C-alpha cells in the first residue's frame, strides 16, 4: 500500500479514528495517542497487530512499552515518541507521540 501523507484532520466518518477499532476512542479523542492509533490503522497496520504491539498508556510510555521495532532514523508512518521530565510524574507532562508524514531531502521531517 502506498503511503499517503495526511495533511488534514480525519473526518468524523473515518472508522480508523471514530470507532471501537481505535482503542483510544471515545475517551481520548483529540489526544495524540488516539491520533497515533488511528493513523496506524489508516496506514494499514492490522487491528490485531495494533492490539498486540501498541501501548494503551500515556504517550511517555510508548517507547518502553511498544512491541514495534525501534529505530533512531524514522521512516514514513513511524510513530515518534518523547517524554517530558521524569517518567510517571504527571506534574511535568505525559509526553507526546506523533506520526512521521514526510521525510525531506535534508532529512527534516513533517509530523502530525
Amino acid at each position: 500500500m502506498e503511503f499517503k501523507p495526511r495533511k488534514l484532520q480525519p473526518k468524523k466518518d473515518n472508522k480508523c479514528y471514530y470507532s471501537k477499532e481505535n482503542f483510544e476512542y471515545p475517551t481520548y479523542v483529540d489526544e495524540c495517542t488516539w491520533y497515533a492509533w488511528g493513523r496506524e490503522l489508516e496506514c494499514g497496520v492490522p487491528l490485531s497487530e495494533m492490539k498486540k504491539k501498541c501501548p494503551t498508556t500515556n504517550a511517555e510510555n510508548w517507547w518502553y512499552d511498544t512491541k514495534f521495532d525501534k529505530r533512531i532514523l524514522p521512516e514514513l508512518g513511524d510513530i515518534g515518541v518523547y517524554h517530558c521530565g521524569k517518567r510517571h510524574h504527571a506534574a511535568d507532562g505525559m509526553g507526546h507521540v506523533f506520526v512521521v508524514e514526510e521525510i525531506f531531502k535534508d532529512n527534516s521531517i513533517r509530523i502530525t
Side-chain angles (χ1 to χ4, degrees):
M1 183 165 100
E2 181 185 346
F3 182 85
K4 294 182 181 174
R6 175 171 274 293
K7 295 185 178 185
L8 301 172
Q9 282 186 289
K11 295 186 178 186
K12 301 282 185 186
D13 65 350
N14 187 325
K15 292 183 180 181
C16 293
Y17 298 91
Y18 296 98
S19 75
K20 295 290 183 181
E21 283 188 25
N22 186 322
F23 188 84
E24 304 282 316
Y25 176 83
T27 306
Y28 299 106
V29 168
D30 294 331
E31 296 290 339
C32 61
T33 53
W34 161 83
Y35 180 83
W37 258 80
R39 187 67 177 117
E40 293 302 297
L41 291 169
E42 188 175 49
C43 289
V45 178
L47 179 60
S48 59
E49 188 174 350
M50 290 293 292
K51 285 181 176 180
K52 282 191 267 184
K53 294 183 173 183
C54 201
T56 57
T57 59
N58 292 321
E60 70 178 351
N61 298 322
W62 282 39
W63 176 263
Y64 304 99
D65 297 343
T66 188
K67 305 291 186 280
F68 285 112
D69 292 338
K70 296 175 179 121
R71 59 180 145 254
I72 301 301
L73 297 174
E75 294 180 9
L76 291 176
D78 280 355
I79 297 173
V81 181
Y82 66 86
H83 66 89
C84 305
K86 188 176 177 184
R87 190 171 178 216
H88 299 297
H89 190 264
D92 63 8
M94 293 306 215
H96 188 62
V97 295
F98 55 87
V99 178
V100 177
E101 297 289 347
E102 292 182 271
I103 302 173
F104 301 102
K105 288 181 183 179
D106 66 357
N107 289 323
S108 63
I109 60 175
R110 187 178 70 76
I111 63 173
T112 54

